Amino acid sequence: MTFLYTSGFRAATQPDQRMINLWKHITTKSNWRIVQLPNGFFQTEYKDYDDKETWIDVTRRETMDGAEAAIDGSIEHYTKKLEFLKGPKVVKTFTD
C-alpha cells in the first residue's frame, strides 16, 4: 500500500462580512419562495441580498414537499456555517 503525502495544506479562509451577511439572509425562511415551472417542476428561489426585486434560483424538485425540504436543508446548511464561524465549541469535558 502506498501513501502519498503532500505539503500543500491550506487552511480554509474566513468568509468576508458580505458573505456572512448573505448566509444570514439565506437562513431566514421568509427570504425564500417556491415557483411552479411550466414543466410541472417546482423551483426554489431566495430573494437577492442587494436587489429585493430579484430572486436567485437554487434548485428544482418534482414535488412542492421536496422543494420545501430543499429550502429547509439549505437553511440548516447555512445555519451550521454561521455556527462554525464562532469557533470550536466544547462538546464534552472530562473530570477526575
Side-chain angles (χ1 to χ4, degrees), residues 77-91:
H77 172 77
Y78 287 104
T79 299
K80 285 180 183 177
K81 289 177 84 74
L82 289 168
E83 280 296 312
F84 291 146
L85 291 176
K86 296 176 184 175
K89 68 178 179 180
V90 177
V91 293

Side-chain angles (χ1 to χ4, degrees), residues 40-51:
F41 278 71
F42 296 90
Q43 178 171 283
T44 63
E45 303 175 339
Y46 67 86
K47 195 180 304 182
D48 186 49
Y49 181 71
D50 296 319
D51 179 8

Side-chain angles (χ1 to χ4, degrees), residues 26-88:
I26 290 174
T27 60
T28 305
K29 196 163 186 176
S30 62
N31 291 325
W32 287 86
R33 73 179 182 182
I34 299 171
V35 177
Q36 187 170 18
L37 301 173
N39 64 2
F41 278 71
F42 296 90
Q43 178 171 283
T44 63
E45 303 175 339
Y46 67 86
K47 195 180 304 182
D48 186 49
Y49 181 71
D50 296 319
D51 179 8
K52 303 302 182 199
E53 300 299 316
T54 302
W55 292 85
I56 309 297
D57 61 310
V58 179
T59 187
R60 292 169 185 86
R61 296 291 187 259
E62 290 186 19
T63 65
M64 191 166 352
D65 288 340
E68 189 165 0
I71 290 171
D72 293 340
S74 293
I75 290 171
E76 181 180 345
H77 172 77
Y78 287 104
T79 299
K80 285 180 183 177
K81 289 177 84 74
L82 289 168
E83 280 296 312
F84 291 146
L85 291 176
K86 296 176 184 175

